[in-house]
Amino acid sequence: MPSAEPTDDEPVTLRRGDRGPEVAELQHRLREAGLYDGPMNGRYNQDVEWGVGQYQEARDLWSDGWGVYGPETRRWLESETTGR
């Protein structure tokens, strides 16, 4: 029977101020979607937040909060981009 508890391999929610390889992948996905043209530096700055927010608005995704790369936004963006 599947557990309702979150597991360690569930993706983390990313927001402004975060940094690292997961943010770099998000930058690549946003660039692929035409929503980010800044540096690929792994920093979740206001430009990344804006790109995520624009993506959410275009797809009517509100459960994660505007500009926050949470589970719903991640699922949609990962289904539409390769991350490369």
Side-chain angles (χ1 to χ4, degrees):
M1 179 173 196
S3 168
E5 296 296 311
T7 62
D8 289 339
D9 51 37
E10 279 189 19
V12 289
T13 295
L14 300 172
R15 57 183 45 86
R16 194 196 297 205
D18 289 338
R19 53 178 60 185
E22 287 193 342
V23 177
E25 179 185 331
L26 171 57
Q27 289 171 326
H28 283 281
R29 289 183 185 280
L30 289 172
R31 178 167 286 172
E32 190 179 340
L35 294 168
Y36 178 74
D37 64 358
M40 308 306 266
N41 57 11
R43 294 181 180 184
Y44 203 125
N45 60 19
Q46 71 183 34
D47 294 334
V48 174
E49 182 181 62
W50 182 88
V52 171
Q54 293 303 302
Y55 180 81
Q56 292 167 323
E57 286 182 18
R59 283 154 185 79
D60 205 24
L61 306 175
W62 303 110
S63 69
D64 297 328
W66 190 89
V68 176
Y69 192 52
E72 182 182 40
T73 306
R74 182 184 292 264
R75 230 179 354 266
W76 277 77
L77 187 59
E78 286 183 355
S79 75
E80 296 179 359
T81 59
T82 64
R84 289 187 223 125

